[in-house]
Amino acid sequence: MVAALGAAVCFGVASVLQAMGARAAEPGSGSGVDTRLLARALAQRTYIAGLALDGLGFALELVALRSLPIYAVGAALAASLAVTAVAASRLLKAALSRVEWAAVGTVCGGLALLGLAAGGEGDGHGSTALRWGTLVAAGAVLLVGAAAGRLPGRARAAVLGLGAGLGFGVVEVAVRLVDGVTSPPIYALLLGGGAAFLLLTSALSRGSVTTATAGMVIGETIGPALVGVLALHDRTRPGWAPVAVAGFALAVVGALVLARFGEGGATGAEPATSGR
């Protein structure tokens, strides 16, 4: 759980740095799948710093996924939205209201309950259909990005963030399914992770940081948690299932409340002075 929370801190700060870099780069085509925007963002120092934090966060996430249920790791990663909100208030000069601070506390409280209730990871190895399904889902992430790129403003950021979350969710599941260097989950991990970064960069370049991150949190939390419980036999400590459900719900609800942090456009409208 310490590793999972460390990953959340890395991912939360990385999102703000990546937003700064994406906005400092030359505007892209507006497509949800814009590889040239990603290439230009990679020329920004703050974007590179964000990628470094993402790399550290991913390493910590791998540690967590090898010993905790997917639902526990996913809910812990929901704390990245709280970190994003706080980091945006400092780096992008946006103020947190009392409601947002209460939401931060809700996320943390939910995570505390999950930490108490979480058991070990399940002993399920996943069916052949699930292994190939992760690869199909990774490809679908690109289709979501292409469709979302046509949406206006806030809806575009939210749906692109959701698509990125689905891609990162594929990574979470694929890590548990990998059993060889040529297995479908390996390709799903690479494709899903790459597509997620592409969509997230497009979302952060024009939309609210917290709106995009909220969509990402939803996408990478709910679906993988269900797969973990239903297909990989993730369980809670005996008798602690209600506590786990309550903790999971609090973490996600807090993340959703924090999504309104960007309503005023403070994190999405202010130009960045340096790159990620």
Side-chain angles (χ1 to χ4, degrees):
M1 184 58 76
V2 171
L5 292 174
V9 172
C10 291
F11 292 148
V13 176
S15 290
V16 177
L17 294 177
Q18 285 169 335
M20 293 170 66
R23 294 171 190 177
E26 181 183 348
S29 64
S31 168
V33 184
D34 189 348
T35 55
R36 288 178 294 180
L37 171 62
L38 180 59
R40 289 191 293 273
L42 286 170
Q44 304 295 323
R45 289 192 301 273
T46 47
Y47 193 93
I48 295 298
L51 283 183
L53 279 176
D54 277 332
L56 176 58
F58 182 62
L60 292 171
E61 183 183 1
L62 287 179
V63 173
L65 284 169
R66 301 310 292 187
S67 57
L68 284 178
I70 292 177
Y71 70 80
V73 177
L77 294 182
S80 66
L81 183 52
V83 176
T84 294
V86 174
S89 71
R90 301 294 186 269
L91 299 177
L92 297 179
K93 308 302 181 183
L96 281 172
S97 70
R98 292 182 180 178
V99 173
E100 277 92 43
W101 281 116
V104 170
T106 299
V107 171
C108 295
L111 293 175
L113 291 179
L114 261 177
L116 292 172
E121 66 173 351
D123 57 4
H125 300 290
S127 64
T128 300
L130 178 60
R131 293 170 185 277
W132 283 101
T134 58
L135 186 56
V136 172
V141 171
L142 293 173
L143 298 180
V144 171
R150 302 178 182 179
L151 298 175
R154 186 172 178 81
R156 177 181 181 274
V159 177
L160 282 174
L162 178 63
L166 293 175
F168 290 130
V170 168
V171 171
E172 292 177 19
V173 175
V175 166
R176 288 278 296 275
L177 299 175
V178 169
D179 59 0
V181 295
T182 60
S183 63
I186 281 286
Y187 300 112
L189 190 154
L190 297 174
L191 178 59
F197 271 113
L198 193 62
L199 268 61
L200 184 60
T201 301
S202 294
L204 295 175
S205 67
R206 299 188 180 186
S208 160
V209 176
T210 46
T211 297
T213 307
M216 181 181 70
V217 163
I218 295 168
E220 71 179 352
T221 300
I222 298 176
L226 291 174
V227 172
V229 171
L230 298 177
L232 300 177
H233 308 155
D234 286 346
R235 294 292 182 265
T236 64
R237 292 168 57 188
W240 284 72
V243 176
V245 171
F248 185 86
L250 283 174
V252 173
V253 168
L256 290 175
V257 172
L258 274 173
R260 68 181 292 278
F261 175 64
E263 285 287 354
T267 61
E270 291 185 8
T273 56
S274 60
R276 176 180 174 176

